[in-house]
Amino acid sequence: MPTATALRAAADTHAGLQRDVNQDRIHVDLARGLFVVIDGVGGHAAGGKAADIALTTMRSRLERETGSTVDRVRDAIAIANNEIHRAAVLRPEWKGMACVLTVVVVDDARAVVGHVGDTRLYKIATDRIDKITRDHSPVGEREDSSELSELEAMHHPRRNEVYRDVGSD
């Protein structure tokens, strides 16, 4: 699959100041135009394990270039959801594990985005930064309706609640 030749990417992750364990996972494959950011749902059982399962299953599906890009992204998220849910059923200590994610597959000059939860995607240009995805969360909805600024949303006490995740029923 040919990708846009002007792509540049950088990726990094950090546990932050509140946690000792980093449940974030990132994957960058410029040759395939594949970018994945996954965050294990903090406070839930085995969030890091959920993120590992999601990354492995998503890469497996997305790197197999069969079907349309849109179908591959949709399939990858569904497969990750089902695998995380299955693993949680098999291991009681993993009950409730989940993650949120954003994936982008760039093919030629088009980007296909898959998004579940509150892992945001921004488009960065020379003179501006635009938020592309919308958080699946109560605070994100308030931000999108201009009830809260982005800064207020980032500090809101309910900022970590999400309506959708990968790994639930």
Side-chain angles (χ1 to χ4, degrees):
M1 161 191 309
T3 61
T5 56
L7 288 179
R8 291 182 300 158
D12 192 18
T13 181
H14 188 279
L17 302 175
Q18 303 296 318
R19 292 182 172 72
D20 294 329
V21 177
N22 189 348
Q23 297 181 344
D24 299 342
R25 305 295 182 266
I26 52 178
H27 179 71
V28 174
D29 184 339
L30 277 174
R32 287 189 169 95
L34 174 59
F35 307 89
V36 183
V37 176
I38 302 170
D39 184 5
V41 175
H44 283 78
K49 182 64 178 171
D52 290 338
I53 293 169
L55 182 57
T56 300
T57 57
M58 292 194 58
R59 283 188 61 191
S60 176
R61 176 58 188 112
L62 293 169
E63 291 173 359
R64 189 170 27 96
E65 297 177 3
T66 58
S68 73
T69 305
V70 170
D71 287 343
R72 287 175 38 227
V73 168
R74 186 179 293 119
D75 290 350
I77 294 170
I79 292 165
N81 184 81
N82 294 342
E83 285 300 309
I84 293 167
H85 183 69
R86 184 188 61 75
V89 167
L90 295 174
R91 303 269 308 260
E93 67 272 22
W94 291 350
K95 182 178 173 30
M97 74 176 177
C99 62
V100 294
L101 62 83
T102 297
V103 57
V104 178
V105 179
V106 179
D107 125 12
D108 294 319
R110 182 178 85 152
V112 175
V113 177
H115 170 71
V116 180
D118 62 354
T119 304
R120 293 180 172 186
L121 174 65
Y122 292 89
K123 179 180 178 183
I124 301 173
T126 304
D127 60 343
R128 59 189 292 163
I129 298 175
D130 296 317
K131 186 170 73 165
I132 303 298
T133 55
R134 301 287 175 237
D135 294 355
H136 300 132
S137 69
V139 172
E141 286 182 353
R142 291 185 61 200
E143 179 186 343
D144 292 343
S145 69
S146 299
E147 290 179 47
L148 296 173
S149 70
E150 185 172 16
L151 185 59
E152 290 170 325
M154 290 171 58
H155 296 289
H156 195 280
R158 294 182 63 197
R159 69 186 173 275
N160 294 324
E161 294 178 24
V162 293
Y163 293 138
R164 296 182 189 160
D165 61 55
V166 178
S168 295
D169 281 336

